[in-house]
Amino acid sequence: MATIQQVADLARVSTATVSRALAGKPSVSAATRERVEEAARSLGYVASATASSLASGRTRNIGMVMPYLGSWFYAAVLKGAHRALADGGYDLTLYHLEDTTRHAERRQRLFDEFLRRKRVDAFIAVSLELSDAELERIALLGKPIVGLGGPIPGVTTLSLDDAGVATLATEHLLSLGHREIAHLGGDEAFEQDFHVPAKRRAAYEQALRAAGVEPDPRLIKNADFTIQGGYQATLQMLGAPHRPTALFAASDEMAIGAILAARDLGLRVPEDLSVVGIDGHELGEFFGLTTVDQFPVVQGRMAAETLLEELSPDASGDHVNRDLPYELVVRKSTAVPSGRPRE
C-alpha cells in the first residue's frame, strides 16, 4: 500500500502539502494540487479518512434527517441525494425522525445530542419544519443546512408549490368536463410539517369553486398516503350512493390504490372513474396513471448539490428559497366523463 511519504516524494512536495492538497485546502495552488492528485492516482494512494478529517476539519459526511423511511417518495429523494453526495466525495448518515406526536423526545434528543457529536459537516432536512430552538442549536454548531419541502426562515430551502401542484391536477380533471370530483387527502399524521395535505385540499377546493363547482364533503376522504390506504378510502367512497366521475389523490400511491379499488368494484378506469395523482411514482407508467410529477430523485439531487455549494470555499452565504419543478404527465387513467362531451 502506498504511503503519503511516497506521494510527497513523487510530487516533490512535503507530506503536509499532500494532506492539504487532498483535503481541498484553498492554500494549495491549483498546479500543486493537480500534481499531488496525479501522484496519488499513479501510486494508488487513498488518504485515511481519519487523517483527512484531522487535516481539513471536515468529516466528508453529510447528515440527512427524514421523517419516514417506508415511503417510496422519501426513498427516491434519498437515492437522488446519495448519488450527488457520492459523486462529490461525501458519505451520508441518515437520521430517522418518527412520528413526532408520539416520539417528541426522540426529535429533541436528535438535536440535543446526536447532531452535536460533530460526525457530519452539514445537514439536509427533508419535510421538516424546524423550530426556532432547533435552528438555534444547528446555528451554534456552525454547520450549513439545506431544507427540502418547504420554506424555513434563515435557511436555504427548496420548496414545492403544493397549491400549484394540486390546482394543476384538479384543473386537468375540470378541463375534461368532470364536475363530480373526489379528493383523497392525508390524515392528521401528515399535517405536522408544512401542512402539505391541507394545502393540497385547499387548492383543490379553490380550483373547483373557480370553475363554479361547490366542493362536496361526501367526496373528500383522508388516508395515509399508501396504496392500501387509498384502496380502502376509495372502496368507502365508491360504495356510497353518490359516486364521483373523477378522483384526485394527493399521492400516486393513494391514486394506485384508488385504481385497484375501482377495478375490484367492476368499474372501468377511466370510463367510469378518472384518476390523477401527485408524485411521479415509478409504477405510474405501469398503471397508466396520470400524475403531476414532482421528480423526487431530482429533488434529492438538487438538495445535495445545493448543500455542496454551501460547503465550497466561495459560498455566498445567502439563504434563498428555490422552487422545485413539477409537470403534468397525462396517461390513460383520465378521460372525458362517459357519455359527456368535453367542455
Side-chain angles (χ1 to χ4, degrees), residues 124-125 128-130 135 145-160 194 299 302-303 306-307 310 318-324:
I124 299 174
L128 293 172
E129 195 169 7
L130 300 176
L135 288 171
I145 180 171
V146 167
L148 178 62
I152 303 174
V155 171
T156 296
T157 52
L158 296 91
S159 302
L160 183 72
F194 301 119
Q299 288 190 21
M302 289 178 62
T306 300
L307 190 62
E310 297 216 346
D318 296 331
H319 299 301
V320 298
N321 182 61
R322 301 178 181 178
D323 293 328
L324 292 166

Side-chain angles (χ1 to χ4, degrees), residues 217-301:
R218 296 173 297 178
L219 300 183
I220 299 175
K221 297 285 186 182
N222 289 336
D224 61 0
F225 275 67
T226 66
I227 293 176
Q228 182 65 25
Y231 178 86
Q232 294 296 339
T234 304
L235 283 181
Q236 296 175 17
M237 186 182 299
L238 298 182
H242 190 70
R243 198 177 74 199
T245 64
L247 183 148
F248 158 46
S251 78
D252 276 355
E253 292 198 27
M254 289 195 294
I256 291 170
I259 290 175
L260 295 174
R263 290 177 179 175
D264 284 353
L265 291 173
L267 300 176
R268 300 166 300 165
V269 176
E271 292 85 355
D272 300 317
L273 181 73
S274 284
V275 178
V276 61
I278 292 176
D279 276 338
H281 198 289
E282 58 190 358
L283 292 177
E285 188 171 2
F286 177 80
F287 282 94
L289 176 64
T290 294
T291 184
V292 180
D293 194 342
Q294 58 172 313
F295 309 107
V297 174
V298 173
Q299 288 190 21
R301 175 177 59 78

Side-chain angles (χ1 to χ4, degrees), residues 108-181:
Q108 182 175 352
R109 185 183 176 196
L110 172 71
F111 289 96
D112 284 347
E113 298 179 23
F114 296 160
L115 300 186
R116 285 194 296 184
R117 292 177 182 171
K118 299 182 179 180
R119 294 178 179 173
V120 297
D121 294 330
F123 307 99
I124 299 174
V126 183
S127 298
L128 293 172
E129 195 169 7
L130 300 176
S131 68
D132 291 341
E134 290 166 347
L135 288 171
E136 184 178 353
R137 293 187 189 101
I138 293 174
L140 289 173
L141 296 176
K143 305 289 187 181
I145 180 171
V146 167
L148 178 62
I152 303 174
V155 171
T156 296
T157 52
L158 296 91
S159 302
L160 183 72
D161 181 0
D162 286 294
V165 166
T167 299
L168 182 58
T170 307
E171 288 181 345
H172 169 64
L173 296 174
L174 288 166
S175 72
L176 293 172
H178 292 280
R179 293 298 179 266
E180 301 292 325
I181 301 174

